[in-house]
Amino acid sequence: MKVLVTGGCGFVGSHIVDALVEQGHDVRVLDRQPPSHPNNGARYTRADLVEPESWAHVVDGIEAVSHQAARVGLGVHFAEVADYVRDNDLGTAMLLRVLDQARFAGRLVLASSMVVYGEGAYDCPRCGPVRPAPRTAERLAAGLFEPLCPACGDDLQPVAVEEEAPCDPRNVYAATKVHQEHLCAAFGRESGARVVALRYHNVYGPRAPLDTPYAGVASIFLGALHREEAPRVFEDGGQRRDFVHVRDVARANLAALTAPLTRDQAFNVASGTPRTIGELAAGLWEVAGRGGPEPIVTGQWRLGDVRHVFASPRRAATTVGFEARVPFGEGLAELADCFARSA
């Protein structure tokens, strides 16, 4: 199969390229960055998605697309809003326009994200399933991090979020990921292409961006450990997330590109085992930081963050046969080793 991978030089994209080449597919990569981990079995084109005149030729004969190109992370300032919209929304629109002009009707897999849900799923003992409102600065500043039932004000029990949960983006990045899903769905209806949105949960593993404001929390914690600083855990460390290894994410993409599907769908890509941010920090200290300062809980907060979001991976398992395989402890040890060798 001839597959185009946008963002194929990035963290997740490069692992997808490796997996596709290993399976014998004809892989073309489109990225505005040069490959830091090039695969000799793939063909690379360096170009920006928003400038299709420089790359439109690469879609000739393409049978499937893995759309990984995006500006990721929560961002630092709202002033970055235009950059996120340019790279994620306009970039996706340009890709879809070129695919439409090429009469593409194959499989389109979009790298979406858990952030489309906003807060995760919650049950209220009195009211049943509810959607809490965004947390306020006043409550966060008072150290009151748990959302309350919007109907009765009671405490809530977080539960695994299913794909049927409504989208409720609560920061700029999240809003652009929802828009990407909507744009791709509209293209699928117009073109007949089968569209799959993979909602990645917290991805970690080798080649992760290291110690930048846009890196994942695992890389940020490791950066602190290697500077012999204490990892700083925001809020009270009780935020629950699902950490999924990048090789598992690559496997999910292969499944989504090749599995027989009768309709467009979204899938959570997750391990199915929630862990707290505090547990992550402690686990990384165990494998990488012993002898240095232990993680500290700071009470700091960011208004755009959500409290708990972790997934049910059931639909991906039953529909495309994807289940995560890499154990959490093994994945953390591998990440710490890769970080140490590259630091």
Side-chain angles (χ1 to χ4, degrees):
M1 182 169 62
K2 294 181 180 179
V3 185
L4 171 64
V5 183
T6 71
C9 298
F11 169 38
V12 174
S14 65
H15 284 275
I16 295 171
V17 170
D18 289 349
L20 285 166
V21 170
E22 184 178 346
Q23 292 292 315
H25 297 288
D26 181 352
V27 182
R28 303 177 191 177
V29 178
L30 176 61
D31 202 303
R32 68 185 178 193
Q33 301 297 329
S36 56
H37 297 86
N39 188 305
N40 292 332
R43 287 179 285 172
Y44 292 84
T45 298
R46 187 175 179 183
D48 193 320
L49 273 180
V50 303
E51 300 170 354
E53 62 277 2
S54 64
W55 60 263
H57 62 282
V58 304
V59 307
D60 293 344
I62 287 295
E63 299 169 272
V65 177
S66 174
H67 182 28
Q68 307 295 315
R71 180 178 291 264
V72 300
L74 182 61
V76 178
H77 303 291
F78 188 83
E80 296 175 290
V81 59
D83 297 325
Y84 276 91
V85 171
R86 176 194 185 279
D87 290 348
N88 297 357
D89 298 338
L90 182 58
T92 297
M94 289 298 191
L95 171 66
L96 297 177
R97 187 175 76 177
V98 171
L99 292 175
D100 178 65
Q101 291 169 343
R103 302 180 185 272
F104 174 82
R107 181 69 53 87
L108 171 60
V109 175
L110 168 69
S112 187
S113 170
M114 67 176 189
V115 297
V116 302
Y117 297 121
E119 282 286 349
Y122 292 83
D123 280 337
C124 172
R126 185 182 303 179
C127 304
V130 296
R131 297 286 296 171
R135 299 182 296 170
T136 65
E138 291 75 18
R139 282 185 59 83
L140 292 168
L144 301 173
F145 301 120
E146 296 291 343
L148 300 176
C149 177
C152 70
D154 276 2
D155 293 334
L156 298 173
Q157 176 62 42
V159 296
V161 66
E162 307 268 357
E163 289 88 349
E164 292 82 4
C167 291
D168 185 17
R170 299 192 176 186
N171 56 61
V172 168
Y173 172 61
T176 65
K177 298 310 286 186
V178 172
H179 195 205
Q180 282 186 309
E181 287 199 18
H182 289 173
L183 289 171
C184 290
F187 170 74
R189 288 191 294 271
E190 291 281 343
S191 67
R194 182 68 66 228
V195 176
V196 180
L198 297 182
R199 292 172 178 169
Y200 301 163
H201 285 250
N202 289 71
V203 186
Y204 73 101
R207 306 178 193 169
L210 302 179
D211 204 22
T212 79
Y214 307 95
V217 65
S219 294
I220 291 172
F221 286 167
L222 278 172
L225 289 168
H226 281 272
R227 294 191 303 272
E228 298 187 353
E229 299 172 1
R232 298 177 62 82
V233 179
F234 279 19
E235 300 188 15
D236 60 0
Q239 311 94 302
R240 289 185 228 184
R241 299 290 189 269
D242 188 305
F243 297 94
V244 59
H245 196 276
V246 67
R247 284 197 299 276
D248 283 328
V249 175
R251 289 180 45 252
N253 276 270
L254 261 66
L257 283 165
T258 58
L261 294 171
T262 58
R263 62 187 180 91
D264 295 351
Q265 286 190 275
F267 298 101
N268 287 322
V269 177
S271 72
T273 303
R275 302 179 189 275
T276 68
I277 299 296
E279 287 178 307
L280 172 69
L284 288 170
W285 183 81
E286 285 286 336
V287 298
R290 279 187 170 274
E294 295 187 41
I296 58 173
V297 176
T298 68
Q300 290 175 268
W301 49 270
R302 297 185 299 184
L303 194 58
D305 284 347
V306 297
R307 179 60 176 175
H308 304 294
V309 55
F310 53 91
S312 167
R314 178 175 52 190
R315 179 188 287 181
T318 58
T319 308
V320 299
F322 166 74
E323 293 181 348
R325 295 175 182 170
V326 179
F328 184 66
E330 177 184 311
L332 290 189
E334 179 191 21
L335 176 61
D337 180 63
C338 291
F339 196 106
R341 285 188 278 109
S342 64

